[in-house]
């Protein structure tokens, strides 16, 4: 694992490219906060091993996407086939030369044939079917088995072994998540790319996928008996002050709450890192989600015909096919993420908290949470032999991560690199590449708009304005104590782990993300008005202010 850490004498954090080329900061899953040291190695290995698989499976001209840490922040750079890691990038050759290379280079020729077969066979369906028909249930069973381990009954050596087991489980599960990501990225990106050519923007096209992500609203479905019991009004809502109070509403309610907590309690909530809490640790959020449960999601069906009418008549059959395939693939996207990333990550945190409590009791850490500042080999030594970094050293690491986050990290490092001409590649290879690039582009934050002082703008989701109190949180951990039902949640980003918050809020505003990011997906599935990619929202909107979220125009106004 490479992690470049640079500071000046004045303790100013300096970011240098980890290698030649341009590197992009990964922000969509844990914001700009540096990743916890304990998770970095597993995260990097899972990322690089996993992402290489769909690139090959769909015939793209990329060997992998490199992942390197700079001051604990993950930066990425695609590595082309034939390019050596660490070499100085060269400008792509002229288009006619690139065409020759793409048809003569053995690996590129092989990839081109793979791309042809992938589209002919609709390979994404095989991946989606494999997940739902074969791999999903064993993944749930393995998560539950690790969750059932009684950590307090383990001695220190056994706990160290269990931490290693949960870490290995996270790494393999995260790798699998990325390895099959092509099953949703390619068909939905293919739809978005074609729609762009027909004059339909990414947000309009992505809206057609609403209703195709059942995992996003799983909490609402499981908790339907809770919503029905509360709606009957036999017990005043104000008298329900705890999760146990809700469970006491009846056997069906108790079963629903227990099933929900079994499947969701130990998932990370506000980040894909282990330094943020799981649902199990936040009873106030559990109660808020239960009281905010809705028996009916007021979500309109996508208007396929309105978009279809804008597609040239000769391409409408193709549009229908692309839409069907995109919906087929899209249903796995958040399901795999939750079961293969957020839950295994939460199980790592569960084991780390037990280790942290023991180390704190013995004076080896100042704070239980500082256990995440240890690298895995250091944690193993501390648990087994009481040897390793001092408590002061770990506190310093935690402070340094706070400093890096506050810097904040630059989005790009290194010099821009020109893209090779995509039309120089064989047709199917170019199509797969455009599909992936379009999807990733629609997931990314758009450039900032020219906002007025009292507004922020971004990509609007929905068509109904909403007014409410702004709950502004730079750290989603703080939302638990500050969020009130019906609030407009204003945050840096969201991920699948925050789905339990959605029934509580009235609208959503996030700084990060694009038309097909998690915040956009979850807003569509819950029928929440939202503005996505709203630069500066957490600093320009005062906490507690009355705001209007205008999704039609993609604007948030401070009233």
């Amino acid at each position: 694992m490479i992690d470049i850490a640079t500071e000046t004498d004045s303790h100013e954090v300096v970011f240098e490219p980890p290698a030649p080329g341009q590197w992009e900061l990964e922000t969509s899953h844990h914001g700009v906060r540096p990743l916890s040291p304990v998770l970095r190695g597993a995260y990097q290995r899972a990322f690089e091993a996993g992402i290489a698989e769909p690139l090959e499976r769909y015939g793209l001209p990329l060997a992998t996407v490199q992942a390197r840490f700079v001051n604990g922040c993950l930066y990425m750079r695609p590595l082309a086939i034939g390019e050596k890691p660490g070499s100085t990038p060269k400008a792509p050759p002229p288009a006619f030369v690139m065409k020759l290379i793409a048809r003569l280079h053995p690996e590129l020729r092989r990839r081109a044939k793979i791309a042809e077969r992938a589209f002919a066979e609709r390979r994404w369906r095989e991946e989606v079917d494999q997940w739902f028909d074969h791999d999903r249930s064993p993944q749930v069973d393995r998560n539950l088995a690790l969750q059932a381990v009684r950590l307090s009954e383990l001695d220190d050596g056994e706990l160290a072994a269990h931490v290693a087991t949960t870490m290995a489980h996270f790494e393999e599960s995260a790798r699998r998540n990325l390895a099959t990501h092509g099953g949703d990225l390619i068909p939905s990106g293919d739809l978005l790319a074609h729609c762009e050519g027909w004059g339909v923007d990414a947000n309009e096209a992505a809206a057609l996928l609403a209703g195709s992500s059942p995992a996003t609203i799983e909490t609402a479905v499981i908790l339907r008996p809770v919503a029905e019991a509360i709606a009957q009004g036999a017990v005043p809502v104000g008298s329900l002050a705890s999760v146990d109070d809700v469970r006491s509403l009846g056997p069906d309610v108790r079963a629903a709450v227990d099933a929900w907590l079994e499947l969701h309690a130990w998932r990370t909530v506000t980040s894909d890192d282990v330094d943020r809490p799981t649902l199990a640790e936040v009873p106030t959020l559990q109660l808020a989600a239960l009281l905010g449960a809705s028996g009916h999601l007021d979500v309109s069906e996508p208007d396929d015909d309105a978009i279809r009418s804008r597609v040239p008549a000769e391409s409408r059959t193709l549009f229908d096919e692309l839409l069907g395939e995109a919906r087929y693939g899209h249903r796995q996207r958040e399901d795999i993420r939750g079961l293969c990333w957020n839950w295994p990550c939460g199980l790592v945190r569960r084991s780390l908290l037990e280790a942290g409590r023991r180390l704190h009791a013995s004076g080896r850490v100042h704070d239980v949470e500082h256990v995440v500042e240890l690298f895995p080999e250091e944690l193993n030594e501390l648990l087994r032999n009481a040897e390793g970094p001092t408590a002061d050293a770990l506190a310093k690491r935690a402070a340094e991560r706070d400093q890096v986050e506050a810097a904040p990290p630059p989005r790009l490092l290194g010099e821009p690199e020109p893209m090779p001409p995509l039309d120089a590649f064989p047709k199917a290879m170019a199509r797969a590449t455009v599909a992936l690039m379009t999807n990733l582009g629609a997931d990314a934050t758009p450039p900032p708009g020219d906002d007025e002082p009292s507004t922020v703008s971004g990509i609007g989701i929905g068509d109904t304005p909403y007014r409410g109190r702004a709950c502004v949180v730079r750290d989603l951990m703080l939302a638990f104590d500050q969020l009130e039902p019906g609030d407009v949640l204003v945050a840096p980003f969201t991920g699948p782990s925050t789905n339990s918050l959605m029934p509580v809020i009235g609208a959503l505003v996030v700084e990060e993300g694009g038309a097909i990011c998690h915040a956009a997906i979850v807003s569509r599935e819950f029928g929440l008005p939202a503005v996505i990619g709203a630069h500066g929202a957490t600093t320009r909107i005062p906490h507690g202010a009355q705001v209007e979220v205008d999704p039609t125009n993609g604007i948030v106004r401070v009233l």
Side-chain angles (χ1 to χ4, degrees):
M1 179 184 70
I2 296 176
D3 189 359
I4 299 174
T6 308
E7 293 186 19
T8 66
D9 292 339
S10 62
H11 301 291
E12 177 186 356
V13 181
V14 177
F15 286 83
E16 299 288 349
Q22 188 166 71
W23 296 77
E24 183 175 359
L25 179 66
E26 203 289 313
T27 63
S28 59
H29 298 111
H30 44 84
V32 297
R33 184 166 178 78
L35 205 67
S36 298
V38 74
L39 199 65
R40 288 177 197 171
Y43 198 112
Q44 181 183 31
R45 291 189 298 271
F47 183 91
E48 289 194 326
I51 202 67
E53 294 191 38
L55 297 177
E56 179 176 7
R57 190 175 295 123
Y58 288 92
L60 276 75
L62 297 174
T64 189
V65 177
Q66 301 172 97
R68 299 290 184 271
F69 287 103
V70 181
N71 294 316
C73 299
L74 186 68
Y75 283 85
M76 306 175 298
R77 178 184 176 274
L79 186 72
I81 289 174
E83 182 184 4
K84 294 181 179 180
S87 62
T88 300
K90 299 178 181 178
F96 76 93
V97 176
M98 193 69 239
K99 283 186 177 181
L100 288 174
I101 294 174
R103 287 154 179 81
L104 296 177
H105 189 286
E107 179 60 14
L108 289 175
R109 289 176 60 190
R110 189 180 76 87
R111 293 281 183 109
K113 292 179 180 178
I114 289 174
E116 290 177 2
R117 292 196 299 271
F119 283 106
E121 299 167 359
R122 296 184 296 181
R123 187 161 293 165
W124 47 86
R125 284 184 171 251
E126 176 185 321
E127 292 186 324
V128 173
D129 292 345
Q130 178 67 31
W131 168 246
F132 285 107
D133 296 344
H134 302 286
D135 296 347
R136 190 182 191 278
S137 291
Q139 180 70 30
V140 172
D141 291 343
R142 181 60 173 154
N143 290 344
L144 289 172
L146 290 171
Q147 187 170 290
V149 174
R150 297 179 182 272
L151 302 182
S152 62
E153 298 178 3
L154 304 179
D155 63 31
D156 289 352
E158 291 169 336
L159 178 59
H162 180 74
V163 170
T165 297
T166 58
M167 193 75 74
H169 176 61
F170 164 76
E171 182 175 335
E172 174 53 28
S173 299
R175 184 208 61 79
R176 192 229 181 274
N177 173 207
L178 293 167
T180 58
H181 208 356
D184 50 88
L185 288 178
I186 296 298
S188 56
D190 202 25
L191 171 68
L192 267 59
H194 278 82
C195 281
E196 183 179 333
W198 295 323
V200 177
D201 68 35
N203 191 29
E204 295 173 302
L208 297 173
L209 302 180
S212 302
S213 182
T216 307
I217 59 171
E218 182 181 65
T219 289
V221 173
I222 294 175
L223 296 181
R224 190 164 286 145
V226 178
E228 293 172 352
I230 291 175
Q232 290 172 3
V235 176
V237 174
S239 69
L240 301 173
S242 69
V243 172
D244 283 341
D245 287 347
V246 177
R247 292 178 74 252
S248 69
L249 292 177
D252 290 345
V253 172
R254 184 180 305 111
V257 172
D258 291 348
W260 172 60
L261 290 175
E262 181 182 50
L263 294 174
H264 288 266
W266 282 105
R267 300 190 193 194
T268 51
V269 180
T270 64
S271 170
D272 283 359
D273 197 359
V274 291
D275 66 345
R276 291 296 183 262
T278 60
L279 183 64
E281 301 167 65
V282 194
T284 54
L285 176 57
Q286 296 174 27
L287 180 62
L290 293 173
L291 299 181
S294 173
H296 174 68
L297 295 176
D298 187 18
V299 181
S300 302
E301 291 289 327
D303 191 350
D304 298 0
D305 291 338
I307 300 298
R308 192 176 189 273
S309 66
R310 295 163 55 187
V311 175
E314 64 274 15
S315 299
R316 288 174 184 169
T317 299
L318 175 60
F319 167 80
D320 294 340
E321 293 173 357
L322 293 172
L323 179 56
E325 298 306 316
R327 286 172 172 167
Y328 198 92
H330 190 64
R331 63 195 182 106
Q332 78 162 12
R333 181 170 180 148
E334 298 223 330
D335 195 49
I336 294 183
R337 188 76 189 182
L339 295 179
C340 288
W341 201 291
N342 301 122
W343 195 353
C345 189
L347 295 174
V348 173
R349 177 171 170 83
R350 178 175 179 264
S351 66
L352 291 175
L353 288 175
E354 178 65 23
R357 285 188 286 267
R358 296 185 189 189
L359 294 174
H360 183 258
S362 64
R364 302 296 303 183
V365 296
H366 293 316
D367 189 306
V368 171
E369 292 285 348
H370 288 174
V371 69
V372 306
E373 308 301 336
L374 290 158
F375 289 94
E377 60 276 10
E378 295 174 336
L379 175 57
N380 184 66
E381 281 298 308
L382 271 179
L383 284 174
R384 293 181 184 274
N385 304 314
E387 296 179 357
T390 66
D392 287 345
L394 296 176
K396 182 180 179 182
R397 290 181 187 179
E400 288 172 346
R401 287 205 299 135
D402 291 341
Q403 181 186 8
V404 171
E405 182 180 19
R411 300 303 178 103
L412 298 171
L413 296 176
E415 296 299 319
E417 300 178 56
M419 286 287 295
L422 294 179
D423 57 1
F425 292 111
K427 185 176 180 180
M429 175 183 279
R431 180 181 176 184
T433 304
V434 170
L436 181 66
M437 291 174 58
T438 302
N439 197 310
L440 296 179
D443 192 34
T445 307
D450 186 16
D451 296 330
E452 298 178 3
S454 62
T455 67
V456 294
S457 64
I459 298 171
I461 306 296
D463 53 17
T464 304
Y466 181 86
R467 291 188 175 190
R469 186 188 82 111
C471 178
V472 182
V473 289
R474 282 294 307 166
D475 186 335
L476 279 168
M477 285 178 60
L478 303 177
F480 306 141
D481 295 326
Q482 300 180 17
L483 192 65
E484 298 177 3
D487 274 354
V488 176
L489 177 60
V490 183
F493 70 100
T494 69
S497 48
T498 60
N499 288 350
S500 296
L501 282 171
M502 296 304 119
V504 181
I505 66 176
L508 178 64
V509 179
V510 294
E511 295 175 319
E512 302 287 346
I516 203 166
C517 73
H518 168 266
I521 293 172
V522 75
S523 297
R524 295 187 186 103
E525 296 297 334
F526 278 92
L528 287 172
V531 175
I532 311 299
H535 290 263
T538 61
T539 55
R540 297 179 59 193
I541 298 175
H543 177 71
Q546 288 294 310
V547 298
E548 180 183 58
V549 178
D550 177 359
T552 302
N553 294 301
I555 291 174
V556 184
R557 300 180 182 89
V558 178
L559 302 176

